[in-house]
Every structure is written in C-alpha cells, then in structure tokens.
C-alpha cells in the first residue's frame, strides 16, 4: 500500500504537467486551423500550433474520431490557441462560455451553453456571435458586447428580453431570436436604429406596438407563427420606411386581416410570401382559406407527432438493447463466479 502511495505522489505531478498537443488538419487556407476532436476541462494542460487566426472545431466526419468534449471555454483555452480572432466551436458539448475581449467572430452554436460570462471584462471587440441552438435562458450578457453587428440567439430557452439590454448595441445590423417559445413581447424602443434584419419567427408574441418607434434601416422583418390577434401595417411602414420584406403570417389573425395586410404590403412594394398558397381561395377551389389553413396545421402537427413517436421508439430500443447487454454481462459474471466457487 505504501509503495502505491509513493508511486502516485511521484508520478501524478508529472502527469498533470504534460500538455496534450493538438495539430491542425491539412487545409488550403493557411490562417485556418481545422481540428476534428479536442477534449478540454478547466485546468487541463493543452496546446495548439501557433500562427493561426481562425480555429474551426466541429463534429468529426471520420468514425475513427470521437466527438469533442469541451465543458468550458475559458481564458486558459483561448491563450493556448494563441488568441485567435475567429473561433468556430460547434457540437463540442460546451456548457459555459467566457468570451475573450479580443475575439472578433465566435460561432458556438449547437452546444449546451446555459451561461455566458462577460462580467469581468470590458471593451469587447466581437462583431459576430452565434449562440443559436443552446440552452440560454437569459440574454443579459449581450449589453456588454457593444461592437456586435450580427447576433444569433435562435432556438434557445430565453423568456424575456430585459429592458435596455439591446440599447447599447448601436452597431447591430442582424438580430435573430426565432424559436424562443416563451418570449411574449419585444422592447421595440431598445431595438437599435442601425438594425437591418429582425427575425422573431415562432415565438409567443401577443402584440406588436410600433407607435413612436423609429427603425430607419430596417429592411427585413419576420414575425410569423406567433400569437398575434391584430397587426397595424400602417404603423409598421411608418416606423420602417425602408422595409423591403415582411413575413407576418399568424394563424390567429384570420383570413380577412391577412388579406388586408397583404394588400397594404403590395401597395407599398413590400415583398411577402405566404406558405399557404394552396389556401388561396378562387373559383376553382372547393376549400375556403380558413378550412385549408386548419387542415395544413393539422398535417403539420401530425408530422411533428410522427417524428416524436419515431424518436421515442429509437430511445426505447436503445434502452432495451442496453438492458439486454447488462443482463448478459451479469449472467456471464454470475456463471464464472459459480464455477470459481465450485
């Protein structure tokens, strides 16, 4: 026992000081380092080749490589990468993100991020940030990123847009907040005047009030598939005089309101596209608009239900296979133990 303790005491410090070094895959752009697999936890000793300004770390295409696992992107990892200006770290299981101040472009989409740390630093340089398809529940961290021009926060769990959190982003041009199903209101007063593109598709907006709002740069607006009961197109066009595309379809508005909305958009040369073209009623159609829309929604929900059932069956199948393997291993161990005892 004493020998083992001496062995651990002697070799453990040596093992922890040995850094894991990662090499870049062959790539025609010299400034880009592509890596299919890394593993990192805070405190791990890790190193990368110098001379690269962009790092692309994604899901491996080869079955010989396992998926990356980076629990926390922190200052130590950024320093090990030699402070690149651009990082794509997609599907690596990232849970916590500490944004470096010198980073210009960051794509951390399709992870498990529920926390973004911007509290200990100031003067962030970042202009492009993609945090879509994560587990974010709030967006308070955004206010510190004053140089942002493009922000992706779609497919998260955000419930509220806090007042003034967007007002500091005076350079923001493209803002994506689609598929955050709990968001019921937008602080339109805080949307920067520089904004060109807004996507609030498939949230839970109950109203859009644009009185005394000025969005002179806005060219694209998508608020489809919310829970709007009314919408004032005149107010929208007054707030956004340079609007070119508007996607406003909400099933709760009904046929009469939607036809008026489309007519007003057409009269003002604003492009729109209805996904329910087959629902447009004419003399050759036997199905009115509302009935067709209801039918479409039922078809869509049945497709979603079918996908859910299939995923559930796959999950159950995997559990059954796992239990069978465990049972088989247990039987083998039990049989060998009986033989040994005999």
């Amino acid at each position: 026992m004493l020998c083992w303790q001496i062995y651990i005491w002697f070799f453990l410090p040596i093992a922890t000081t040995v850094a894991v070094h990662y090499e870049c895959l062959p790539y025609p752009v010299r400034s880009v380092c592509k890596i299919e697999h890394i593993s990192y936890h805070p405190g791990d000793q890790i190193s990368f080749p110098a001379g690269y300004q962009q790092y692309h770390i994604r899901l491996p295409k080869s079955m010989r490589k396992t998926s990356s696992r980076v629990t926390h992107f922190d200052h130590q990892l950024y320093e090990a990468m030699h402070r690149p200006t651009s990082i794509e770290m997609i599907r690596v299981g990232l849970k916590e993100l500490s944004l470096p101040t010198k980073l210009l472009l960051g794509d951390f989409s399709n992870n498990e991020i529920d926390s973004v740390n911007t509290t200990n630093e100031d003067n962030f340089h970042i202009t492009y940030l993609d945090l879509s398809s994560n587990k974010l529940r709030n967006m308070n961290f955004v206010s510190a990123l004053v140089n942002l021009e493009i922000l992706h926060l779609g497919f998260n769990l955000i419930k509220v847009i806090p007042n003034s959190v967007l007002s500091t982003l005076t350079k923001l041009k493209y803002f994506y907040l689609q598929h955050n199903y709990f968001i019921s209101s937008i602080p339109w007063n805080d949307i920067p005047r520089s904004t060109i593109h807004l996507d609030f598709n498939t949230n839970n907006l109950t109203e859009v009030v644009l009185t005394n709002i000025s969005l002179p740069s806005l060219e694209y607006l998508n608020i489809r598939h919310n829970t709007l009961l009314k919408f004032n197109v005149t107010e929208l066009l007054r707030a956004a005089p340079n609007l070119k595309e508007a996607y406003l379809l909400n099933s709760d508005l009904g046929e009469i309101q939607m036809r008026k909305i489309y007519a007003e958009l057409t009269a003002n040369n604003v492009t729109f596209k209805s996904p329910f073209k087959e629902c447009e009623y004419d003399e050759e159609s036997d199905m009115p608009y509302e009935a067709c829309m209801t039918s479409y929604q039922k078809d869509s929900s049945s497709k979603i239900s079918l996908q859910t059932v299939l995923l559930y069956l796959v999950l159950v199948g995997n559990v059954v296979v796992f239990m069978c393997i465990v049972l088989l291993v247990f039987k083998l161990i039990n049989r060998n133990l009986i033989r040994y005892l005999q």
Side-chain angles (χ1 to χ4, degrees):
M1 185 67 180
L2 182 61
C3 292
W4 276 108
Q5 289 178 342
I6 294 173
Y7 179 86
I8 292 173
W9 290 339
F10 182 77
F11 284 103
L12 186 60
I14 298 175
T16 55
T17 57
V18 176
V20 177
H21 182 75
Y22 290 96
E23 290 291 346
C24 306
L25 295 173
Y27 196 69
V29 182
R30 287 189 175 183
S31 63
V32 177
C33 176
K34 293 180 71 71
I35 298 176
E36 285 192 342
H37 170 79
I38 70 168
S39 177
Y40 175 78
H41 302 272
D44 288 354
Q45 298 299 312
I46 190 171
S47 66
F48 298 87
Y52 294 93
Q53 285 300 307
Q54 302 177 58
Y55 275 83
H56 295 179
I57 301 171
R58 296 170 174 258
L59 195 69
K61 295 181 179 180
S62 172
M63 294 301 293
R64 297 176 63 184
K65 295 284 187 180
T66 58
S67 298
S68 296
R69 190 67 182 174
V70 180
T71 58
H72 184 179
F73 185 91
D74 58 10
H75 178 74
Q76 181 181 341
L77 180 55
Y78 185 64
E79 290 293 324
M81 291 178 168
H82 309 284
R83 302 182 183 182
T85 56
S86 174
I87 295 176
E88 291 184 19
M89 194 170 282
I90 302 171
R91 290 190 175 93
V92 299
L94 193 61
K95 292 185 177 181
E96 187 173 351
L97 171 64
S98 295
L99 273 177
T101 56
K102 303 299 183 184
L103 188 67
L104 290 176
L105 289 88
D107 185 348
F108 304 97
S109 58
N110 292 280
N111 282 290
E112 302 169 18
I113 299 172
D114 57 16
S115 174
V116 179
N117 182 10
T118 58
T119 56
N120 297 327
E121 302 285 354
D122 54 10
N123 194 26
F124 287 91
H125 294 183
I126 193 163
T127 60
Y128 176 98
L129 180 61
D130 190 344
L131 291 171
S132 58
S133 299
N134 277 284
K135 295 182 178 180
L136 293 171
R137 295 183 179 273
N138 71 75
M139 49 183 291
N140 294 318
F141 64 91
V142 168
S143 61
L145 311 179
V146 296
N147 288 302
L148 271 179
E149 296 180 10
I150 302 175
L151 175 61
H152 291 266
L153 293 177
F155 297 90
N156 276 282
L157 303 172
I158 298 170
K159 296 182 179 180
V160 177
I161 304 176
N163 290 332
S164 303
V165 75
L166 296 172
S167 60
T168 58
L169 309 185
T170 57
K171 299 178 182 178
L172 188 66
K173 292 181 173 63
Y174 294 82
F175 183 30
Y176 300 84
L177 197 65
Q178 71 276 29
H179 291 268
N180 282 271
Y181 303 107
F182 304 105
I183 294 178
S184 59
S185 64
I186 303 292
W188 296 97
N189 277 318
D190 294 334
I191 301 292
R193 291 167 57 87
S194 58
T195 306
I196 296 172
H197 185 113
L198 287 174
D199 193 340
F200 301 134
N201 174 36
T202 317
N203 292 316
N204 192 31
L205 299 181
T206 56
E207 64 176 356
V208 174
V209 180
L210 296 171
T211 307
N212 299 323
I213 301 299
S214 178
L215 298 169
S217 302
L218 190 64
E219 297 180 359
Y220 176 101
L221 175 65
N222 187 348
I223 52 172
R224 294 191 307 168
H225 307 310
N226 281 276
T227 55
L228 301 178
L229 295 175
K230 61 180 180 179
F231 189 84
N232 190 327
V233 178
T234 304
E235 201 174 69
L236 169 64
L237 295 174
R238 187 181 297 116
N242 292 307
L243 191 67
K244 296 178 180 178
E245 298 180 62
Y247 300 95
L248 310 175
L249 182 68
N250 279 257
S251 59
D252 292 338
L253 290 173
E255 178 186 3
I256 295 175
Q257 286 195 72
M258 287 310 306
R259 287 188 180 279
K260 288 181 178 179
I261 288 171
Y262 290 154
E264 197 164 353
L265 292 176
T266 301
N268 287 276
N269 296 317
V270 178
T271 300
F272 62 89
K273 181 180 179 182
S274 170
F276 302 112
K277 285 186 177 180
E278 64 273 21
C279 294
E280 292 296 334
Y281 181 78
D282 56 38
E283 294 179 356
E284 299 179 358
S285 175
D286 295 325
M287 184 179 290
Y289 178 88
E290 291 181 356
C292 184
M293 181 176 286
T294 302
S295 174
Y296 178 89
Q297 289 174 329
K298 287 181 179 178
D299 290 342
S300 299
S301 62
S302 65
K303 289 178 182 178
I304 294 172
S305 299
L306 180 59
Q307 291 175 351
T308 303
V309 170
L310 290 174
L311 288 172
Y312 178 76
L313 290 175
V314 170
L315 178 62
V316 171
N318 288 334
V319 171
V320 170
V321 170
F322 176 76
M323 293 301 295
C324 289
I325 293 173
V326 171
L327 184 60
L328 180 61
V329 171
F330 178 77
K331 285 183 177 180
L332 289 173
I333 293 173
N334 193 36
R335 185 182 302 169
N336 290 334
L337 182 61
I338 292 172
R339 289 178 180 176
Y340 177 78
L341 293 175
Q342 289 177 346

